[in-house]
Amino acid sequence: GLVTADPEATMTALEYADIGVIGEGEETIVELCDALENQSTIWRVSGIIFEQETASKKLWIVTRPRPDIPILDSLAWPDYDGFEMDTYFKSSPSFAGINTKNTIFVLTSRSCPYLCTFCFHTTGRKYRKRSLDDFFAELDYLTSRYPIETMSISDELFSQDIERVKEFCKRIKKYNIRWWAQFRVDNITPELVDILKDGNCANMTFGIESADNRVLKSMRKNITIERTNEVLKMVYDKGMSCTGALIFGDLVETKETAQVSIDWAHAHPEYNIAMAMIQVYPGSHLYKVACDCGIIQDRVKFLRDGCPQINVSQMTSEEFSTVVQAIHDTQIHQG
């Protein structure tokens, strides 16, 4: 993901890497290995970056872009056998209020059609879905080999195709597996919540991000806090578990807008709201702004330092620290 987001800075930060893969890697790695094994030129391999020595200096060479893989069903399922799955299933991911062993993480789609300012889609910008036949064939394989009790659908966005979600819920029932996924408030209906509940969905996770509409607009979320309130109450009243997250520090965030979100979270303990400061990730709009404004002056150092917390908001450093402390105090109180 980092190589895809900022290829030259990442390869320089890695220091000892010779070749990086930009974008989805399943097809690229096969072509690259074939070129290396046959000692042929790697210039013809799309979607890579590598170092080229010249008489005066070394240059980073980026080959032509590799298109997003259009048909996800063409890809082989992950080979789980080498990952000590017995040990893996003994661990308990504490997520969304669900703390249970024998949990598997799966994908039914890639990328997301939205362009929120804090996000970077490591698997391309085009949203693509696996067929449900392919997904459930893989699930049959997994359940025949492993004692799966719960399932985390790790898609960036699970609910973009509502009819597909409905069909998924019908087909998942027979497995008696509890599962959770990420949703958007703008396409949730009472009917869909009922279908999800009947389909053993244990938790609906929402990216709330802010309780102030000015911040939501700046983030390009295309939602409002009024719609968020409506949907979360609907889900809660129907007896479904729901969680969400607020992130602070958007470009237009002020001490006042941050307080609006903190007050909103305090008013709704029933929703199990997580709070954190925005992370400025390479490839995101916020990252580009931070680089252009000189907040990030050395991209290589920023990566080597682990993408540390920076302030891109309208808040002063003192106000920023006050918000960080308020979030910390709230989490302690909730705990």
Side-chain angles (χ1 to χ4, degrees):
L2 285 175
V3 174
T4 302
D6 198 339
E8 291 191 20
T10 301
M11 293 299 290
T12 303
L14 288 171
E15 191 172 354
Y16 298 111
D18 299 305
I19 304 170
V21 173
I22 301 172
E24 294 171 308
E26 288 92 346
E27 294 177 347
T28 305
I29 196 65
V30 174
E31 293 182 18
L32 178 59
C33 287
D34 182 69
L36 293 173
E37 288 181 353
N38 291 291
Q39 298 182 337
S40 59
T41 178
I42 62 173
W43 285 75
R44 296 181 180 178
V45 179
S46 299
I48 63 171
I49 177 173
F50 62 93
E51 199 171 47
Q52 180 73 44
E53 290 194 24
T54 66
S56 58
K57 61 180 179 179
K58 293 182 179 180
L59 299 174
W60 289 113
I61 305 298
V62 177
T63 63
R64 63 183 179 275
R66 181 175 293 276
D68 296 338
I69 298 171
I71 302 175
L72 298 184
D73 287 10
S74 66
L75 299 176
W77 305 332
D79 183 355
Y80 296 89
D81 289 342
F83 290 96
E84 300 181 1
M85 295 299 288
D86 290 340
T87 302
Y88 175 86
F89 280 115
K90 290 177 183 177
S91 63
S92 300
S94 181
F95 175 76
I98 301 171
N99 187 358
T100 180
K101 297 179 180 179
N102 298 328
T103 299
I104 191 79
F105 288 77
V106 295
L107 283 168
T108 78
S109 67
R110 283 187 177 179
S111 197
C112 171
Y114 297 92
L115 297 173
C116 300
T117 57
F118 50 83
C119 192
F120 174 68
H121 307 304
T122 61
T123 54
R125 295 181 61 175
K126 185 177 180 180
Y127 178 67
R128 290 146 294 147
K129 302 166 290 186
R130 297 173 61 183
S131 72
L132 290 183
D133 286 344
D134 182 62
F135 172 79
F136 281 104
E138 182 186 9
L139 186 58
D140 286 336
Y141 169 79
L142 291 171
T143 54
S144 70
R145 298 173 65 87
Y146 308 115
I148 297 171
E149 297 177 10
T150 56
M151 181 173 65
S152 173
I153 297 176
S154 302
D155 300 18
E156 291 186 65
L157 179 61
F158 178 66
S159 61
Q160 183 66 12
D161 185 338
I162 298 302
E163 292 305 315
R164 181 173 182 265
V165 175
K166 293 178 180 179
E167 180 64 23
F168 179 93
C169 290
K170 291 179 183 178
R171 297 178 66 166
I172 195 68
K173 286 181 64 175
K174 70 176 185 179
Y175 294 89
N176 196 31
I177 291 175
R178 299 168 68 221
W179 56 279
W180 60 90
Q182 298 187 72
F183 299 85
R184 281 179 59 94
V185 298
D186 53 358
N187 55 18
I188 303 299
T189 65
E191 176 197 12
L192 182 62
V193 176
D194 289 336
I195 291 172
L196 289 164
K197 185 176 181 180
D198 185 60
N200 291 329
C201 179
N203 183 276
M204 299 176 67
T205 299
F206 296 96
I208 301 166
E209 323 308 2
S210 176
D212 191 292
N213 283 332
R214 291 166 293 182
V215 175
L216 289 171
K217 182 178 180 181
S218 173
M219 289 176 166
R220 304 174 186 168
K221 279 292 295 184
N222 294 319
I223 61 173
T224 64
I225 189 58
E226 289 78 16
R227 178 58 176 164
T228 295
N229 283 327
E230 178 185 349
V231 168
L232 293 185
K233 185 178 187 302
M234 175 204 310
V235 173
Y236 186 79
D237 288 348
K238 285 182 174 291
M240 276 283 289
S241 174
C242 62
T243 55
L246 295 170
I247 51 177
F248 297 81
D250 175 72
L251 295 172
V252 304
E253 189 89 86
T254 64
K255 185 178 179 181
E256 290 71 31
T257 62
Q259 192 62 51
V260 168
S261 293
I262 292 172
D263 291 343
W264 181 86
H266 287 167
H268 294 287
E270 68 274 22
Y271 298 145
N272 189 27
I273 304 299
M275 295 191 287
M277 302 304 292
I278 280 178
Q279 286 295 128
V280 179
Y281 289 117
S284 67
H285 176 70
L286 294 183
Y287 178 76
K288 295 173 184 176
V289 170
C291 291
D292 292 342
C293 293
I295 299 173
I296 297 176
Q297 298 184 7
D298 187 331
R299 294 179 298 155
V300 174
K301 184 178 185 302
F302 183 74
L303 290 172
R304 284 178 172 165
D305 289 345
C307 300
Q309 189 76 64
I310 59 175
N311 181 10
V312 297
S313 73
Q314 300 297 308
M315 294 183 284
T316 65
S317 296
E318 183 178 354
E319 290 172 337
F320 190 86
S321 297
T322 300
V323 172
V324 172
Q325 186 63 51
I327 293 172
H328 180 262
D329 294 343
T330 298
Q331 291 173 331
I332 291 177
H333 178 73
Q334 290 175 339

